[in-house]
Amino acid sequence: MTVTDVAHQPVYYDPYDVDIVANPYPVYARLREEAPLYYNERYDFWAVSRYADVERALLDWETFSSRRGDILELVQSGYDMPPGVMMFADPPMHTMLRGLMSRVFTPRRVAELEDRIRRYCVRCLDPLVGSDGFDIIAELAAEMPMRVIGMLLGIPEEDQQRVVDHGDATLRTERGGKMTEKETGPLATGEVFEDYIGWRAEHPSDDLMTELMNAEFVDETGTRRTLRRDELLMYLTVIATAGSETTTRLIGWAGKVLADHPDQRRELVADPSLLPRAIEEILRYEPPAPHVSRCATRDVEYYGHTVPKGSAVMMLIGAANRDHRRFPPDGDVFDIHRRARGHLAFGVGAHYCLGAALARLEGRIALEELLARFPAWEIDLDRARMSTTSTVRGWETMPAVLG
């Protein structure tokens, strides 16, 4: 079967179609059953949607390379990826860079943030008690992750919004647009950190930025060194953007999904020990990053068809996470009692998200504090608005009605 033949399947998937993105799950279900290997002729990419295929592709970095990025339009653009960035590298370079990052992004450092995160949530939510409602995104989901990244990097509170806005501008697109179509370019440059790096070099502290500046490693040439200034700027931009954007979407989806499932929300109010499992199920059910892309380094076979070398291949995490083969009996059912470990919301293998533990911690604390004050809410969908990005999926506004 030729590429053109595959493209003429009845099911159609388009990651830039705002109507599909608003609720992709009916299309995902058809892809899994009718076209587990899918080709989009308009945008010239392939996609896999079944859990086993997505997991296998994410694990096989030799066949599916990250060197041209992990976002479809970047993979296809020929954009010159910045050197020395973990997200844009394969092993052994990726292994070396990940080792550097894991030395400063430790479980101890994450755990030490819990009390500070909780205090910030209390500060956000206490003034809202007794009100008729509030915007979950504006009052908590967009604010708390930003503050946590500021805590990690040691950025003063008055500068944190500017830092996050800088990275956030990278992901924002026009409705149905691509990152590569923005006049500012597809990637943030990190210049927002320039002055702060200089100041921090003169005033070291116990924060991630100081450790990243001083951490020594052996690079691909065998040279022992620290990160160059351009590398450091890119690392800080990635941390600030990824660390705030995806967690904001997780908290937003928690508000929406629990409003849609009030019986399960009541269970969480009665028994907060269920919250860690609920967070996993929310991540499975509505992953903030519903797809990642790679470049095929060789011809690869799926279901009797060949994906040619050099092709852009999209792994549909959102589809895989609802595959009934992996999450029986019905992956489209939300169930906080499901053992959802094994979902792919944070990826798997070499590029498994280093910030997963932090995102889980933030999500759990946010829900604990929300449910302790507001055991019930509804979402005003007439005023709720989804965000416009081609990378993450979630809510820009989410007005919660109390009572």
Side-chain angles (χ1 to χ4, degrees):
M1 183 179 290
T2 66
V3 167
T4 302
D5 291 331
V6 178
H8 291 158
Q9 297 159 122
V11 60
Y12 177 73
Y13 172 68
D14 179 345
Y16 307 114
D17 186 313
V18 294
D19 292 327
I20 292 176
V21 172
N23 180 19
Y25 297 106
V27 175
Y28 285 166
R30 291 190 62 197
L31 287 172
R32 288 193 303 265
E33 303 310 315
E34 300 173 29
L37 175 66
Y38 175 78
Y39 178 72
N40 182 297
E41 189 173 55
R42 178 181 180 185
Y43 294 109
D44 188 24
F45 72 89
W46 300 80
V48 290
S49 51
R50 292 181 180 175
Y51 183 97
D53 296 329
V54 172
E55 181 185 45
R56 178 165 62 93
L58 291 173
L59 287 169
D60 186 1
W61 58 265
E62 292 179 300
T63 301
F64 301 100
S65 173
S66 298
R67 290 181 184 174
R68 285 164 56 178
D70 61 359
I71 297 167
L72 178 61
E73 52 261 44
L74 293 183
V75 172
Q76 295 177 320
S77 69
Y79 182 79
D80 189 13
M81 291 292 115
V85 179
M86 186 173 65
M87 293 172 63
F88 308 144
D90 297 324
M93 171 66 81
H94 176 271
T95 306
M96 176 195 70
L97 296 169
R98 188 179 179 91
L100 170 66
M101 195 64 130
S102 64
R103 283 159 47 191
V104 298
F105 212 89
T106 63
R108 175 191 63 80
R109 186 180 292 279
V110 170
E112 287 174 349
L113 291 172
E114 179 160 359
D115 287 344
R116 297 173 68 186
I117 295 172
R118 193 175 300 279
R119 286 197 300 271
Y120 186 79
C121 285
V122 169
R123 199 168 103 197
C124 288
L125 296 175
D126 272 357
L128 303 173
V129 174
S131 68
D132 294 330
F134 61 95
D135 191 320
I136 292 175
I137 302 298
E139 300 292 346
L140 181 65
E143 292 293 316
M144 187 261 278
M146 174 181 67
R147 303 303 181 195
V148 174
I149 293 302
M151 296 171 194
L152 269 175
L153 297 179
I155 296 172
E157 191 166 312
E158 61 269 21
D159 294 334
Q160 290 171 5
Q161 184 65 59
R162 183 168 60 93
V163 167
V164 172
D165 287 347
H166 173 75
D168 188 58
T170 298
L171 300 179
R172 288 290 177 272
T173 62
E174 297 297 325
R175 285 174 61 82
K178 304 178 182 180
M179 289 174 61
T180 48
E181 294 171 341
K182 301 198 309 298
E183 291 182 4
T184 55
L187 297 176
T189 60
E191 71 266 10
V192 71
F193 294 106
E194 281 279 6
D195 293 340
Y196 197 72
I197 287 176
W199 186 86
R200 183 53 80 196
E202 298 295 325
H203 304 83
S205 181
D206 181 25
D207 57 43
L208 191 149
M209 184 181 292
T210 301
E211 292 204 30
L212 274 178
M213 291 173 67
N214 296 325
E216 293 186 350
F217 65 101
V218 178
D219 69 13
E220 72 279 12
T221 69
T223 303
R224 186 170 188 82
R225 64 180 180 89
T226 57
L227 288 172
R228 298 189 309 269
R229 193 175 189 86
D230 62 322
E231 292 171 333
L232 180 59
L233 287 172
M234 182 57 69
Y235 264 97
L236 295 174
T237 299
V238 168
I239 293 168
T241 305
S244 61
E245 183 74 17
T246 54
T247 308
T248 293
R249 304 306 160 213
L250 166 60
I251 297 170
W253 279 119
K256 172 67 165 58
V257 171
L258 292 180
D260 291 342
H261 299 83
D263 291 347
Q264 296 188 61
R265 183 177 57 196
R266 282 192 287 272
E267 287 190 70
L268 294 174
V269 172
D271 184 3
S273 71
L274 294 172
L275 277 168
R277 185 174 290 186
I279 291 295
E280 297 307 313
E281 179 67 349
I282 292 165
L283 286 164
R284 181 198 71 83
Y285 191 74
E286 291 285 10
H291 48 72
V292 296
S293 297
R294 302 283 192 264
C295 180
T297 62
R298 62 176 178 84
D299 289 358
V300 59
E301 299 292 321
Y302 280 99
Y303 303 99
H305 309 302
T306 300
V307 176
K309 177 181 178 179
S311 297
V313 183
M314 181 175 281
M315 293 78 171
L316 297 177
I317 290 170
N321 274 359
R322 295 201 184 191
D323 190 344
H324 63 275
R325 299 165 185 83
R326 179 63 178 79
F327 300 103
D330 186 349
D332 283 320
V333 171
F334 178 76
D335 182 3
I336 60 172
H337 300 287
R338 186 193 302 271
R339 295 190 177 276
R341 287 279 183 174
H343 64 73
L344 301 174
F346 292 122
V348 68
H351 284 273
Y352 182 79
C353 177
L354 270 172
L358 180 59
R360 287 182 167 113
L361 176 66
E362 292 180 72
R364 174 176 60 80
I365 293 172
L367 265 187
E368 284 176 353
E369 299 301 328
L370 271 171
L371 292 169
R373 290 162 180 78
F374 314 109
W377 64 82
E378 295 181 357
I379 301 302
D380 183 351
L381 289 177
D382 289 336
R383 294 191 294 129
R385 187 174 74 252
M386 294 198 80
S387 60
T388 56
T389 82
S390 61
T391 53
V392 295
R393 178 175 172 269
W395 296 89
E396 195 76 24
T397 62
M398 183 172 289
V401 180
L402 304 176

